[in-house]
Amino acid sequence: MDKLLYGSAYYDEYMPTDRITTDTEMMRSAGHNVVRIAESTWSTLEPQPGVFDFSHVDRAIDAMEAAGISVIVGTPTYAVPTWLVASHPDVLAETRAGTPHYGARQIMDIAHPAYRFHAERVIRELMKHTAQRKGVIGFQIDNETKHHGTVSAPVQRAFVRHLREEFDDDLDALNRAFGLDYWSNRVDAWEDFPDVRATINGSLGAAFDRFRRGLVEDFLAWQAGIVREYARDDQFVTQNFDFDWGPGWSYGVQPAVDHFSAARTVDIAGVDIYHPTQSRLTGAEIAFGGDMMRSVKDGANYLVLETQAQGQLGWLPYPGQLRLQAYSHLASGADGVMYWHWHSIHHSFETYWKGVLSHDLEPNPVYEESAVVGREWEKHSDALLHLRKRNRVAIMVSNEALTALTWFTLETGFIDGAFGSSRGYNDVVRWLYDALFALNVEVDFVHAEGGRLDDYDLIFTPALYSAPESTLERLREYVADGGHLVSTFRTAVANEHLEVWHDRAPHLLTDVFGATYNQFSTPDGAGVTHDGSTTPAEIVLELLTPLDAETLASYDHPAWDRYAAVTRNPFGKGEATYLGTKLSDEATRSVLTDALRRAGAWSWPQELAGTVTVRQGTNGRGRPLVYLLNYSPDDVVVAAPLDGTSVLDGRAVSAGDELGIRPWDLVVLEG
Amino acid sequence: MDKLLYGSAYYDEYMPTDRITTDTEMMRSAGHNVVRIAESTWSTLEPQPGVFDFSHVDRAIDAMEAAGISVIVGTPTYAVPTWLVASHPDVLAETRAGTPHYGARQIMDIAHPAYRFHAERVIRELMKHTAQRKGVIGFQIDNETKHHGTVSAPVQRAFVRHLREEFDDDLDALNRAFGLDYWSNRVDAWEDFPDVRATINGSLGAAFDRFRRGLVEDFLAWQAGIVREYARDDQFVTQNFDFDWGPGWSYGVQPAVDHFSAARTVDIAGVDIYHPTQSRLTGAEIAFGGDMMRSVKDGANYLVLETQAQGQLGWLPYPGQLRLQAYSHLASGADGVMYWHWHSIHHSFETYWKGVLSHDLEPNPVYEESAVVGREWEKHSDALLHLRKRNRVAIMVSNEALTALTWFTLETGFIDGAFGSSRGYNDVVRWLYDALFALNVEVDFVHAEGGRLDDYDLIFTPALYSAPESTLERLREYVADGGHLVSTFRTAVANEHLEVWHDRAPHLLTDVFGATYNQFSTPDGAGVTHDGSTTPAEIVLELLTPLDAETLASYDHPAWDRYAAVTRNPFGKGEATYLGTKLSDEATRSVLTDALRRAGAWSWPQELAGTVTVRQGTNGRGRPLVYLLNYSPDDVVVAAPLDGTSVLDGRAVSAGDELGIRPWDLVVLEG
Amino acid sequence: MDKLLYGSAYYDEYMPTDRITTDTEMMRSAGHNVVRIAESTWSTLEPQPGVFDFSHVDRAIDAMEAAGISVIVGTPTYAVPTWLVASHPDVLAETRAGTPHYGARQIMDIAHPAYRFHAERVIRELMKHTAQRKGVIGFQIDNETKHHGTVSAPVQRAFVRHLREEFDDDLDALNRAFGLDYWSNRVDAWEDFPDVRATINGSLGAAFDRFRRGLVEDFLAWQAGIVREYARDDQFVTQNFDFDWGPGWSYGVQPAVDHFSAARTVDIAGVDIYHPTQSRLTGAEIAFGGDMMRSVKDGANYLVLETQAQGQLGWLPYPGQLRLQAYSHLASGADGVMYWHWHSIHHSFETYWKGVLSHDLEPNPVYEESAVVGREWEKHSDALLHLRKRNRVAIMVSNEALTALTWFTLETGFIDGAFGSSRGYNDVVRWLYDALFALNVEVDFVHAEGGRLDDYDLIFTPALYSAPESTLERLREYVADGGHLVSTFRTAVANEHLEVWHDRAPHLLTDVFGATYNQFSTPDGAGVTHDGSTTPAEIVLELLTPLDAETLASYDHPAWDRYAAVTRNPFGKGEATYLGTKLSDEATRSVLTDALRRAGAWSWPQELAGTVTVRQGTNGRGRPLVYLLNYSPDDVVVAAPLDGTSVLDGRAVSAGDELGIRPWDLVVLEG
């Protein structure tokens, strides 16, 4: 792509009147240059089995081509038509909650042959029909694909076949690896293999979850293969990845998909990022999603395929926020931003997930603000396109640790929900990410199994509960070779089968951290004393005993005051810090500042932390590009960090010049 | 009826000993003159299929006739006997929660042929046996009839037939009207019609709910038809309607029954009204229930077939409250009050829903207080009977809007429960009703489809989210012709299929209100500034832009302070006020006071607001009757509002005389 | 047994490495002398049907015998193997929540013939294999046995057969006794008997619960019978009883088992007691469990078969607490304490229910502290063994009243959960127990049907809602003969079928208490005035009218101030106090102190209340033994209550000597 993409999802199917010409004119006048179509419209594309109707697709592509607007065509497979379920009721995935009835999207078993058969036919027809259209620049396969919680019988049988292979048909090995002797769960004949949906064995349950993440990868690869039989070389294939929705919006590692593995299937990563606005707009979620999408494709630029225009009722942006958000995506490395969706829908589930246009389909403040963005991007595309980053700091993430901590939760040690709920893996990830974001530290994510570590000065492992021994060995070497490692509580506890290591904790790393523990508990009112001030400990207390490490913080508690809470230890050429509990924001900032400085990862953006948010990189024409983003309702003033040009107003700027930034506004400097 | 009815439900079936003579003596000495019997006693009436046993019914009617106590006979069909379920398990209604097991009442599919067959037989036998009894003054068909959430297959098939008829077999029209293209929900062959229980399409879901409300009307009409084959001309047919139980008691429009349509079936409306007492007794629930029951039969008097004596554990009335409550029902237009029930039951589910007598079956404070009421009513029946009202103010209500706002909730825009719960339609109704009640404004309710509007000076539409265009046209004409209209947020949003209008909001009424909006959000801390004081906005903020209207209140919020919160606009000969958000009690009172004054609906009862509750009308002998009700633990003094007689103590009163009213006491003045 | 038993559960099956010799050495050096093995290991014992593998059992017994450590062998039946469920899926108990899937323990129908068949075979094989081993001192049958909520069809049919027998085939009698006429629940033909799982009839529901408690007794008697065919005369049979888990730990009468009846099956009672530690360690739960276990076997000593070492994450003991807990068990009459379990498990559900050893299997603070205990017990076994008590105070408990109050809850009067949850029977029991514990009053428990009353000076009946009339007659005689009775609200309300008595309340006891009531309600802000001070009333207000009784406390409430809250009445040679509401801790202490003094049950331990916890009795060599237990983080000093020896340090002590006790420490004095 040679320009920034800006636009929205467009559904001619859902329009109450024939107004596509009005819409394309409104888009053009607002500088929109792309639409995404067809995703989830299977029932209009194929109203009856084998009967195809491309009229809406044709109308949309015709109108967009006429208006010079590019089109991304989505395969429609993430919502199944009524006739498919009427003929094959068992395409609906059985889940732990039971058998669903027809209605919502994402309720089918993505491995079911009847679903696959019909999905393949409609994809092939759609591709034949659209691949040669000039206006079509790429294809999105399915949407926000997951395994939808399937526990359908054929999936369970496939899982057992998978285990037979993994364990080379050796049931003893499997029983041992998973600890199935406990509570008489042992399996001594493959034909006795029990339904796994109610298992209380975390090793088995997590293996099943991992297997189901594999189903997603298989499915995407299969769809991509079909699409590529028809796509031109200049057309891309993408997927719309999304994240943990735990806080009520996109923030956190996706539990049901390993994005690193799944991203191999696509040419360019696509993502949807939904986040709070109004007084709760901080930029953290946008940055997180962007950092992850870059990381899963080795730093390549990505497309924001969906983000909110007006969004949910509480997300209506204040004046300025829509524009600030759009730039925030670019500042993380996006090459395009598309809203979900052009017009608010007049019916059904997402009537109040509002688009650029309200239900009256007339211009409104959000549309007007998007037009400002569109016109700016038309003008400054060259400066803003293809931002590349070279980050010094990385966070190691793991779907496996995430899953493990739903079976052995941080606060109770039991299955999530069995004795109340608990904060989970992503709460720890978000804690560190928020702290780093607040310090203007840009990060990459690295995969626990196979990510490159040498690129980074400083690596964090939030609650890396379970990992194969090889990962721990690589972390060990990383520090020995001069890297700086910061690990939190519940790191290096268990192996890849969730068997807790039976030697000193943290396994293989006690000398790296120069500390160990053999008891841990819940906070029970404990504080952490660091640098003379005491703030509360949260989630869990690992009672650390330094071996060689320096104690950076201790517990403030009548029974546990002999134990360390945070330790630091030189190891080889590097250094390793261990956090035995969740610290307060204040203490976290202090410990992280220290770690960043000692790792040589402290620079001028950190000095601006608290004033503006800084993101930077090198743009497509090879020049340094700096974003100064004001996520606040107040005017701020900062000194320009470099000589260059203020991109959006063309002003020349010298390092040290005072730059005033209005509420929810920004400055982009090109060096 | 020529006298006030006062009594209770009586179950000889449940009595631990033979004491019916003691009971009738206790009733007579307490001035009780009516009992309600037989409802829900199917299994004693017909212990085996086709085997009938009328001994309890006979005993009760014999004893009551002997004591001169009238009898209302209830058909027993709202609880099914064991033998019916043993033979026909599928008479139990399948619901969204699954298939119930036997046990509770109200768990059958009221359209099921096996249920209907057996219900008809027992009703006919009961009618043959009782219709000619002198003491029997009327019949109650079934009890608190609802559709019980049925999603049984035959009901779903009937629903599809109903849709075929409604849409004249035109699936395209149905797909378009319901917006089924969304998420591939389109139906292109009737045989593909999906199970609706998990639909995410609010249009389809609401149509199914409306269809099921129709089942209730069909069922009641069918029962009434059978009963009338036997009943004498001097015997009435009634039903025991009840209300939304959302707050934990009766208050709000009944979601599962359209009372206006259903009431056509009966000769006299019956109702059950349960409400808090003790420190939480305000009279609002009693007034609400009474206003609704009058309204559904065009102002006719009604019977309170059930209300609490001791009721639930937390409802034991303070001294004075039982009597105050009884008069409160008359003050709303009731011609009779019956307790559920005479004696506390010694077994099963409602052991602690206590009656007039406690489990010891001896006189107690509640019985003694009911005797005071009974004796007063014997004495003053002529003055108190047949109160008629001529109210100037009405509230327009709609089952359809209520249902719609469960699919598109006020606070989230999504299906209730999908993203947490939300205040609903009845919360808005109760907000306005409470405010009007606090101002001593008596209201009627009018049906959104067909209610007479011209009778009123002032009409409120709380959250009339969806309505056919004809309703909006009638509101438009009402204002043009001189009416005063007060509408709240979320009025005139969608048509009868829950399709949001795709032109300017509020549809068809922007010139009536002289205001419009194209964005709205959640409060996010916003205030409303009205008359110089600022109080919090609640539930939703519609960001109103006045076209011609006067701004009565604005938002106090950094981003939205340019928008109006409340507007008023002259239109034709009338005036229309629009409330874009839920106001504080204080601001509501202020805005409503203004609207009432401008509509000429302000009078002396409003001046007494805050001191006593006033209800009034014209009694059966054509004289003005005024109730001054003291719902408080304090003595109050008011000036008599008219010349006349204090009914209960016979004192002559001149307008302006000081009347002292004791805690939880009242004065009734006849002009 | 001639020595204190001290040890843990040991699972060679779950060990990650071969280290049994290391373990036995660690045990011996810590003074551990017993292990409990094999419970719940069915799938390793019998990996395929009829194929047995005793290698783990043999290894364990061999090693323990070699080390001189005794072994208790558990039958493995409380968790079913995969092959059993694969062949007979219906051995899994259907419950009100539906049909479970395989996974957890305790999910089978303990009456199912296929389960019984296979359970019997494995028990017999295990007994043949182990009964003659020298090191095996006893057998535990099953574990924490319950009915697991079964509503499986065969169990329901057995229940109906049971009712036919109980009611001598007389359906009328059953309908009358249960009040089935209500809501048409009458059954007039046995073949119509409905599925009981959704019954709303508390009498029927409670009868089913009682029947299911009978299943547990049958099952245990059956297992004990099989085991005794093989066991030597010097080997005991025990069961591991447990308690209500309502507060999140063991405290309260077990709802699903009648411990008094079930205990007849075993030679020595075993128990598991889990409780909070850290800042919430009070000793109350340990004392409660111990008092109950002594009481169910008429004062005999018992074994703590399971209690926590490190336990759950929040239970990691502070230094000193593990030792204090161990002695607390002995102070209640235990002859042994076993931890669950020796080593923390590296897999599955209870990975974080931690044992003596952490996952690293090395010595740690908990292990070291257990070694202190072990060595002390080796030394002082003779002084500490076989403590017998002669308590003056008893609490009457009833599974039937407990169950009844789930059908008619204290705060709502409805089925628990139907209108929110409510405090239940055990909350009342715990309230009284806590108050007595705080006063250093040691109690026995007596069964409502058949417990000996004459042994006691003072008997409490907490919320004895339902009981056969004979129980009330016995209480009446008890007071008449000089006993002191303290009953709380909701005592003597209903008969054994949960039919509320239809005469004056409390039934049969109004003259005993000299008081009655016919109305009651919820607190609604009421206070209780006692001895001039007013504190809040809780749960329920029974509005008491004294007949002859003295009013000890009255309600402070505008409407109810004429009623008594607490009364006392002489009756015959005794005295009866009635508490119409739950009092504050302060008022409770005051009323109880008075009652204890008047009953002559006040002695020196009560004077030490608030300083140390006192438990006492007579040890195995016939000498008085007094425990002074300091459950606090502070040093305390008390005067020695008798001449004797301080057992643990051998010091001679004279009555009146000052004894200093460290935080979480204790002194044991032998007289």
Side-chain angles (χ1 to χ4, degrees), chain C residues 361-381:
Chain C
L361 306 175
E362 293 181 18
N364 65 35
V366 164
Y367 168 78
E368 298 299 354
E369 192 165 309
S370 93
V372 173
V373 175
R375 287 186 293 258
E376 285 179 349
W377 289 12
E378 280 179 346
K379 197 162 161 193
H380 304 296
S381 189

Side-chain angles (χ1 to χ4, degrees), chain C residues 451-465:
Chain C
R452 262 199 318 279
L453 309 187
D454 307 346
D455 294 353
Y456 302 98
D457 298 327
L458 181 52
I459 289 177
F460 289 86
T461 74
L464 186 66
Y465 179 86

Side-chain angles (χ1 to χ4, degrees), chain C residues 527-535 551-556 565:
Chain C
V528 176
T529 303
H530 171 66
D531 268 356
S533 85
T534 301
T535 51
T551 294
L552 297 188
S554 301
Y555 291 114
D556 180 55

Side-chain angles (χ1 to χ4, degrees), chain B residues 140 144 236-243 259 263 266-273 289 293 296-297 301-306 338:
Chain B
Q140 174 187 313
E144 302 170 6
F236 59 80
V237 174
T238 188
Q239 221 270 319
N240 188 18
F241 293 113
D242 65 354
F243 299 113
H259 282 161
V266 298
D267 302 315
I268 179 165
V271 67
D272 79 29
I273 298 178
M293 277 304 108
V296 299
K297 294 294 276 184
N301 300 108
Y302 60 93
L303 297 175
V304 178
L305 291 172
E306 285 190 23
M338 282 153 257

Side-chain angles (χ1 to χ4, degrees), chain B residues 14 42-43 47-48 82-83 101-103 105 278-279 313-314 318 346-348 350-352 358-360 366, chain C residues 177-179 181-186 188 192 197 203 408 414 465 493 499-500 502 518-519 521-522 524 557 559:
Chain B
Y14 304 162
W42 193 344
S43 74
Q48 285 287 281
T82 52
W83 53 258
H101 294 285
Y102 185 79
R105 76 299 176 58
Q278 301 190 351
S279 57
L313 294 197
Y318 292 169
H346 298 81
H347 271 115
S348 206
E350 291 179 314
T351 300
Y352 293 104
S358 294
H359 292 109
D360 62 4
V366 164
Chain C
F178 289 3
D181 286 354
Y182 173 85
W183 277 1
S184 268
N185 279 190
R186 194 174 171 81
D188 272 276
D192 293 341
R197 82 185 73 180
S203 301
F408 303 101
F414 292 96
Y465 179 86
V493 173
E499 182 179 18
V500 175
H502 53 270
N518 60 17
Q519 299 198 313
S521 190
T522 47
D524 187 34
H557 184 280

